[in-house]
Amino acid sequence: MNNARMLATLLDKTIAFDSPDSRRIAHLVKVHGYARSIGLLEGLDDRTQFTLEAAAIVHDIGIKVCEAKYEGKSSGKLQEIEGPPLALELLASLGFAREITDRVAYLVGHHHTYTDIQGLDYQILVESDFLVNLQEKAMDNQTIKTTYEQIFRTETGKRFCRMLFGFEAD
């Protein structure tokens, strides 16, 4: 199976996993869309792009388990604990290579940790999740600008953030 087909199958399985939570499904689709576009526009190599897209699709896979296990709670830290084993299992079941599943699990297990970001796949995943979360949570302009300054590093991610929220870079 080629990479595009593997990602489409992963998306299909992840949508089924999150069904019928349309809000959560829409979130992962938007994060994947931004991650895909930013990665391509930043010129990622094929392997890093594939890893990034897989991670973007499953980045919040731990939420459902967290909510069941922790009385409705699903903080970022809890997601980082519960998500990686689920991601590993799902990707392995679909035939993803071990080195890809290991990196995706790492990204899922760190996507709410904003210090010591190593790798463009990690950086772009964080930026993509923030683009969606800032919009979905209707954050105020000051929060958006602070996030822009503290989180965004890629030129494409910065440009998307400025265009989405209508501000100029300082």
Side-chain angles (χ1 to χ4, degrees), residues 31-91:
V31 170
H32 174 250
Y34 283 126
R36 176 175 168 68
S37 295
I38 294 170
L40 290 170
L41 291 168
E42 290 291 316
L44 295 185
D45 63 85
D46 290 343
R47 179 184 163 143
T48 306
Q49 180 74 30
F50 181 65
T51 304
L52 167 63
E53 289 191 50
I57 291 168
V58 299
H59 77 282
D60 281 343
I61 197 167
I63 292 177
K64 186 184 270 190
V65 170
C66 289
E67 290 173 342
K69 192 172 179 178
Y70 303 103
E71 301 171 358
K73 294 179 175 72
S74 63
S75 71
K77 286 299 161 199
L78 292 175
Q79 290 177 49
E80 288 181 341
I81 293 166
E82 300 296 338
L86 295 169
L88 279 171
E89 181 181 339
L90 178 57
L91 273 68

Side-chain angles (χ1 to χ4, degrees), residues 11 15 18 20-34 56 59-60 132 135-136:
L11 180 62
I15 289 171
D18 282 335
D21 191 333
S22 63
R23 192 172 144 265
R24 189 168 300 148
I25 293 165
H27 175 85
L28 78 89
V29 169
K30 289 185 277 187
V31 170
H32 174 250
Y34 283 126
H59 77 282
D60 281 343
V132 176
Q135 184 272 322
E136 287 178 347

Side-chain angles (χ1 to χ4, degrees), residues 27-28 30-32 34-35 38 52 56 59-60 63 76 79 110-114 122-137 147 151-152:
H27 175 85
L28 78 89
K30 289 185 277 187
V31 170
H32 174 250
Y34 283 126
I38 294 170
L52 167 63
H59 77 282
D60 281 343
I63 292 177
Q79 290 177 49
H110 291 81
H111 80 280
H112 287 287
T113 301
Y114 311 124
Y122 188 171
Q123 181 64 43
I124 293 168
L125 177 60
V126 167
E127 290 179 7
S128 300
D129 201 22
F130 264 106
L131 287 172
V132 176
N133 284 329
L134 290 168
Q135 184 272 322
E136 287 178 347
K137 295 177 181 177
T147 302
I151 298 296
F152 286 80

